[in-house]
Amino acid sequence: MNAVTLNRRQMLFAGALAGGGLWLGMAPSGAAALTADSASLNAWVRIMPDGAVTIMSQNPEVGQGIKTSIPMLVAEELDADWANVTIEQTLADAKIYGRQAAGGSMATTLLFDPMRRVGAGARAMLVAAAAVRMGVPVESLSTEKGRVLHKATGRSMGYGELAASAAMLAAPDPKTLVLKDPASFTLVGTPVSGVDNRRIVEGRQPFGIDTVLPGMRVAVFHKCPTFGGTVA
């Protein structure tokens, strides 16, 4: 099942990062209100002053590729440069992220719309900030690979340059966001390597079996070598 239940009635939240960045997300249904001073990793997307983008992945990755595919939905609507995106696994915290579990093959179905709106919300705020900085109408701007473009004059600004200004703006109502026509997708639907592939093949990716706790004991299963045998 999907790790967190989101719907269009939920409010986008935004705040400033130390050093002038932007973090933006969507509060899980029934979860406590999230604030900018929360100690938990509660943002779905963070943009740093240098333009680096971090997208959070709350679903457990058990080989189904969800740690790559769901963040791609956010990056698509954000018009982020995938080469400049880092994926970070969220903490296991049901109060913030809701139910975090794998099974049912429903993550993409349930998150397809909400996660796109998170990305679209961040993009809208960055474009609004650029319009103010450039002194041009919002409608005259477009985005591409982590930059806001004013094609009429050839000017452009990187997301990192705009992050601090965008963080000062009110987050848009998710219901008012206009999502891309799938025909215009540039990332979703393209072959993308799994974000953990290199760490896996190099033996650096941690798995559940790697967990070590103080005083932990390891149980082993002793299988009878004879079919139909019983315990003596």
Side-chain angles (χ1 to χ4, degrees), residues 114-137:
M115 290 296 100
R116 288 175 66 196
R117 290 183 184 277
V118 169
R123 177 187 176 277
M125 295 171 69
L126 291 162
V127 170
V132 173
R133 296 274 293 274
M134 294 184 185
V136 298

Side-chain angles (χ1 to χ4, degrees), residues 3 28 31 40 42-44 50 62 84 93 101-102 111 120 123 133 140 142-143 149 174 178-179 189 220 224:
S40 299
N42 53 22
W44 297 110
D50 63 359
V62 291
N84 200 31
D93 191 332
L111 285 175
R123 177 187 176 277
R133 296 274 293 274
S140 67
S142 60
T143 55
L149 314 174
V178 178
L179 302 180
V220 295
C224 179

Side-chain angles (χ1 to χ4, degrees), residues 147-166:
R147 299 192 69 82
V148 180
L149 314 174
H150 188 244
K151 294 182 178 179
T153 61
R155 288 182 294 169
S156 71
M157 296 186 72
Y159 284 178
E161 301 174 73
L162 297 164
S165 298

Side-chain angles (χ1 to χ4, degrees), residues 211-219:
T211 301
V212 177
L213 300 174
M216 185 176 77
R217 295 186 177 186
V218 178

Side-chain angles (χ1 to χ4, degrees), residues 1 48 55 83 148 190:
M1 291 297 292
M48 304 304 292
I55 299 175
V148 180
T190 64

Side-chain angles (χ1 to χ4, degrees), residues 70 73 77 106-117 179 182 185 188:
I70 296 302
L73 298 173
E77 293 291 344
M106 290 295 292
T108 300
T109 299
L110 296 174
L111 285 175
F112 190 76
D113 185 87
M115 290 296 100
R116 288 175 66 196
R117 290 183 184 277
L179 302 180
F185 284 171
V188 172

Side-chain angles (χ1 to χ4, degrees), residues 195-210:
V195 297
D196 291 331
N197 283 4
R198 179 171 292 277
R199 287 191 295 272
I200 291 172
V201 299
E202 292 178 349
R204 297 185 293 109
Q205 178 67 17
F207 293 91
I209 198 171
D210 300 316

Side-chain angles (χ1 to χ4, degrees), residues 10 30 46 74 96 140 153 162:
Q10 292 161 302
R46 301 196 302 266
V74 179
I96 295 176
S140 67
T153 61
L162 297 164

